[in-house]
Amino acid sequence: MNLRRPNSNDVTETSNRSKNVAPNSGLCTRCIDGCKGNCEVFKSSFRGREVIYPGPFGEITAGGDKEYPIDYSHLNIQGYALGAKGLPKGKEGNPDNTLFTLVNTETEFGYKNKVKMRIPVFTGALGSTEIARKNWGHFAVGAAISGITLVCGENVCGIDPQLERDKNGKVTKSPDMIRRVEQYRRYHEGYGDVLVQMNVEDTRLGVAEYVINKLGVETVELKWGQGAKCIGGEIKVNSLERALELQKRGYLITPDPLLSENQAAFKNGALRQFERHSRLGFIDKKGFMKEVERLRSLGAKRVTLKTGAYTMRELAMAIKWASQAKIDLLTIDGAGGGTGMSPWGMMEEWGIPTFYLQSMAHELCTKLAENGEYVPDIAIAGGFSTEDHIFKALAMGSPHVKAVCMGRALMIPGFVGKNIDAWLKEEALPKTISKFGTTKEEIFVCYETLKKKYGKEVDEMPLGAIALYTFTDKLKVGLQQLMAGSRNFNIPSISRSDLMTLTEDAAKVSGIPYVMDAYREEAIRIIEE
C-alpha cells in the first residue's frame, strides 16, 4: 500500500495530466513530450525552489495528507450503562445530576502557578507568518473570550518593520508584539494565558527580557521544534529592501539579496519573493537548565517547552529535562500537523506521526512516574480538529496529558468570521452562509450570548473572534456529550480504560486494549457467576 502519492497536490497548486499515475514516483504512466503540465516536476522545471512550499504564502495554511498506517481513527471511545466519575465530592450519580450539560470541561496546567482554561484546547504557535500577523486580532480576541491559551510564535519581534533596538542589538520596542499582547489581554478573564515563544534569533534579540520586563508577559515558551518541519521557522518576503533589512538583523535570507544576479532576477520579475529562515537549535542539558533558570530570574512565572516529531531519544530528553527543570507545560507536536510555511516534502516525509509519538511519550512518562519523579503537564499537537480528537488524546495520555494544541482548526474560524464581515459589507454572502441569514445576529448562533455578556462592545469585536468563540463552544458541547457517555464528569476522570483499539496493530503501538480484549475479564466473570 502506498501511503502518499508524490508529484502533485493542491497545496503546491499542481496536478497530473493523466488519471493513471505511477504510485511510487507520482509521474503520469504516459509522460508526453509536449505536455502543458501541471505536475510538480513540470512546474519545478521553470519555477524551481518555489514549488517546495505551499502557496500562495500569506493566504493559506497547509496540513500533511500522508495516510499513516495507524492514527486516532483506530481508537473508539468506550460507552457505559452505569457509573459516574468526576462528580463533586460526596455525590453519587443519578439521572438528574449527570446531564451532559453539567460536565466540567475545565483543565489547568503548570507546576506551581497554574493556568486554567475553560476547555482543554489552545492555539498553535501563531508567529511571524503573514497569515498569523494579519489575522491576529481575530485569534487573540477569540481565544480570550473563549477562555483558552494563545501562543505567540517565534520571530515576531525580529521581523517587526518598526522594531527598535539598542546599541547591543537588543529589542527596546516592538509595536507588533505590543499589539499582540494587548489584544489578548483586553478580553482576558482569568482563563488561559498568552505564551511568547523563543527560538535562537529571539534569544539573541533579547525578546524574553523585553516581553517580561516591558510587557508583563508571564509565560515564555522555549522552542525545540515542531511537527511540520525539522528546520527553523520560515516566511516569504515580498520586497528586496525588506529582505536586505532582515538579513542585516541576522536572519538567513535566500536567495542572497546581496547578489547582483538575484537583485536582477527580482527586478525583472522572475524572482518574486525571498525567503527568511531561522537557524537550527542545538540542545544540551546544561544549556537548557541554565536558560530555564535565566527566564525565571527575569520574572517569568511559567516556562514551557515545545518539541517536535524527533526521535524517541529527543523525546526522552524533553520529558526528563522538563521534569528536572519543573517545566510548566511540555507540548509534543507530531508529524502530520499544519503550518503557515514549511517545505511540503518535509511535511509529508519527516518525523514521527502524532499517534506513535504520543504512544512513546506515554511510555516514557509512565516510567518517570514509576521512578517517583515529577511528570510535567503534557499537551499533544499534530492534526487535531474535533471534540473526539480531544477526548482520545486526553484519554490515551491520561493522567499526564492536560490539553490538546490545535493549529489550523483554531485559525479557520478567524478566517471565516473575517470573510463573513467582508461579504456582509459587499452584500456578497455565499449561499452556504446566507441560508442562515443576512446579518451577523442571524448568522452567528452565539452572537446574542456574547451580546448579553459584553453589551454593545460585542458589535466592535472582530467577527473572526466571534466565530472562534462559536467553534470552541461546539468543541465544548461535543466534548461534554462524549464525556457524559463515557461517564466522565470532569477532565481528570478521563482514563485510558475509556478507549479501545479497532486493530491489533494499534493495540500493539499504543498499549490500549484491542476491542475484543477490553473488559473481557469482567465480562467472563459476570457470565460465570
Side-chain angles (χ1 to χ4, degrees), residues 386-521:
T386 62
E387 58 271 18
D388 54 286
H389 290 158
I390 299 169
F391 185 100
K392 290 176 181 179
L394 293 174
M396 187 172 165
S398 175
H400 312 299
V401 172
K402 308 299 183 182
V404 164
C405 174
M406 282 190 183
R408 297 205 302 154
L410 285 177
M411 296 176 75
I412 291 170
F415 308 154
V416 172
K418 175 191 69 175
N419 291 320
I420 288 175
D421 190 31
W423 292 328
L424 283 169
K425 292 173 182 176
E426 298 165 1
E427 297 184 354
L429 284 173
K431 290 181 180 180
T432 51
I433 297 168
S434 64
K435 67 179 182 180
F436 296 103
T438 55
T439 66
K440 56 188 178 183
E441 292 85 355
E442 293 172 334
I443 293 167
F444 290 97
V445 71
C446 292
Y447 197 91
E448 294 299 333
T449 300
L450 292 171
K451 191 171 184 178
K452 182 178 180 180
K453 181 175 182 179
Y454 296 101
K456 293 182 180 180
E457 192 170 2
V458 73
D459 295 325
E460 304 303 318
M461 288 181 180
L463 286 191
I466 294 172
L468 198 155
Y469 176 90
T470 305
F471 175 65
T472 58
D473 181 67
K474 177 261 186 184
L475 291 178
K476 176 182 177 179
V477 174
L479 182 60
Q480 286 179 311
Q481 292 173 338
L482 291 171
M483 289 176 64
S486 60
R487 307 293 173 129
N488 294 292
F489 288 84
N490 64 14
I491 296 297
S493 66
I494 299 173
S495 70
R496 286 168 63 84
S497 63
D498 293 316
L499 295 176
M500 65 185 115
T501 62
L502 303 179
T503 64
E504 292 178 323
D505 286 343
K508 181 179 179 181
V509 169
S510 67
I512 300 293
Y514 178 50
V515 59
M516 299 304 294
D517 299 324
Y519 291 97
R520 173 174 287 274
E521 290 183 7

Side-chain angles (χ1 to χ4, degrees), residues 300-315:
K301 288 186 177 181
R302 288 169 292 274
V303 180
T304 66
L305 173 64
K306 182 178 182 181
T307 189
Y310 300 125
T311 71
M312 196 173 187
R313 177 189 64 183
E314 278 85 348
L315 179 61

Side-chain angles (χ1 to χ4, degrees), residues 267-401:
K267 185 177 181 179
N268 66 32
L271 178 61
R272 298 178 180 179
Q273 293 173 311
F274 293 92
E275 300 162 10
R276 186 234 68 201
H277 301 270
S278 298
R279 290 166 173 79
L280 292 175
F282 283 80
I283 64 169
D284 69 89
K285 184 176 180 179
K286 183 178 179 181
F288 174 74
M289 304 297 281
K290 184 177 179 180
E291 179 64 6
V292 172
E293 287 307 310
R294 185 184 78 87
L295 294 173
R296 287 178 176 147
S297 69
L298 290 173
K301 288 186 177 181
R302 288 169 292 274
V303 180
T304 66
L305 173 64
K306 182 178 182 181
T307 189
Y310 300 125
T311 71
M312 196 173 187
R313 177 189 64 183
E314 278 85 348
L315 179 61
M317 290 176 180
I319 293 171
K320 181 72 172 184
W321 300 356
S323 169
Q324 294 174 332
K326 302 299 186 287
I327 288 293
D328 292 276
L329 180 70
L330 170 59
T331 299
I332 301 169
D333 191 6
T339 184
M341 180 174 169
S342 295
W344 177 241
M346 186 177 291
M347 289 180 66
E348 294 281 78
E349 299 297 342
W350 101 279
I352 301 174
T354 310
F355 186 92
Y356 301 83
L357 196 63
Q358 183 175 3
S359 298
M360 294 176 184
H362 181 77
E363 179 184 351
L364 297 172
C365 287
T366 299
K367 288 185 180 297
L368 200 64
E370 289 173 350
N371 293 336
E373 298 180 64
Y374 165 69
V375 179
D377 290 339
I378 304 289
I380 300 295
F384 299 118
S385 64
T386 62
E387 58 271 18
D388 54 286
H389 290 158
I390 299 169
F391 185 100
K392 290 176 181 179
L394 293 174
M396 187 172 165
S398 175
H400 312 299
V401 172

Side-chain angles (χ1 to χ4, degrees), residues 155-163 174-177 242 245 249:
N155 295 311
V156 171
C157 291
I159 71 156
D160 189 344
Q162 297 177 290
L163 176 70
S174 172
D176 191 36
M177 181 62 81
R242 180 80 166 130
E245 177 188 28
R249 291 183 184 178

